Amino acid sequence: MARGLLRFLLSGASLAALLVAALPAQASPAFDNPPPDKIVIKVATVNGSGCPQGTTAVAVSEDNTAFTVTYSDYLAQVGGNSDPTAFRKNCQLSLVVHVPGGFTYAIASADYRGFAALQSGSNAMQRASYYFQGSPSTQFRSHPFSGPLNDNWQATDETDWAQLVWAPCGVQRNFNINTELRVNLGSSSPSKVSFMTMDSTDGDISTVYHLAWKQCPGK
């Protein structure tokens, strides 16, 4: 699992760099450089059918441009002898993010990867929402999938600079991420199983979140 996690972290750092380079000049001021000091991210609470206790971990890239959430039990399925509640799995993470003084951050993009085995006529959806504790602003992103499908999948949530939701300066607010996998029978045979999971080649589920940084006013 360590090799797989390192691979995702390195990928996150590279993609974050590409994201900054690709921003159009007229869209916004340039991203500030990441703070030189270490950031610390801790899981305050974790709840949901897709992330039972002890199956979630968070790691921060060395250059402070990304963090990775790794799961080990996150799969939605329907059909066959599947449990009636297994068609939908979700995970609500509340993260405590300690950043160096004078900086604030936002989630610029998020990469989700996995595998889907969907029968002809079935469909699935990956969905995520992001918000800071106490903030009325919540961002939702959804990605649909249709059967027949028996392959790896990838989905990326991207946010324009003008729409980024920044952590408030000078106060601590937990950052909340709510992810969901949902699989529906549609017109497929009820006797055949369709499923969707987010997993890497080492069998764990890793999602990389890319950070944008800027200095707080007066700093």
Side-chain angles (χ1 to χ4, degrees), residues 18-143:
L18 289 174
L19 175 65
V20 173
L23 281 175
Q26 69 272 19
S28 66
F31 286 113
D32 286 340
N33 291 327
D37 297 332
K38 182 179 180 181
I39 65 172
V40 178
I41 299 178
K42 296 181 179 180
V43 178
T45 59
V46 53
N47 295 287
S49 55
C51 50
Q53 185 175 3
T55 65
T56 305
V58 178
V60 182
S61 64
E62 292 185 0
D63 60 0
N64 291 336
T65 61
F67 67 91
T68 299
V69 180
T70 301
Y71 308 91
S72 59
D73 187 10
Y74 201 152
L75 179 147
Q77 68 178 51
V78 69
N81 295 322
S82 302
D83 187 289
T85 64
F87 77 98
R88 177 184 178 273
K89 294 294 179 71
N90 81 298
C91 185
Q92 172 79 35
L93 287 174
S94 182
L95 304 177
V96 180
V97 183
H98 297 282
V99 301
F103 282 87
T104 183
Y105 72 96
I107 300 299
S109 67
D111 297 321
Y112 298 89
R113 299 175 177 86
F115 184 84
L118 304 177
Q119 302 293 334
S120 179
S122 67
N123 59 82
M125 180 186 68
Q126 182 270 323
R127 177 182 170 93
S129 62
Y130 316 91
Y131 65 96
F132 289 99
Q133 179 185 14
S135 171
S137 299
T138 302
Q139 296 184 359
F140 294 92
R141 299 289 188 274
S142 298
H143 301 276

Side-chain angles (χ1 to χ4, degrees), residues 159-214:
T159 304
D160 294 335
W161 175 275
Q163 297 177 327
L164 289 176
V165 178
W166 297 92
C169 287
V171 294
Q172 181 66 57
R173 292 286 187 271
N174 287 7
F175 182 65
N176 299 294
I177 303 170
N178 193 348
T179 57
E180 176 184 345
L181 292 178
R182 185 187 294 261
V183 182
N184 300 305
L185 274 176
S187 60
S188 65
S189 172
S191 64
K192 296 182 178 181
V193 174
S194 292
F195 70 86
M196 184 176 186
T197 184
M198 285 186 286
D199 57 1
S200 65
T201 54
D202 61 7
D204 287 335
I205 301 165
S206 298
T207 303
V208 181
Y209 297 88
H210 310 289
L211 302 175
W213 293 94
K214 70 177 182 179

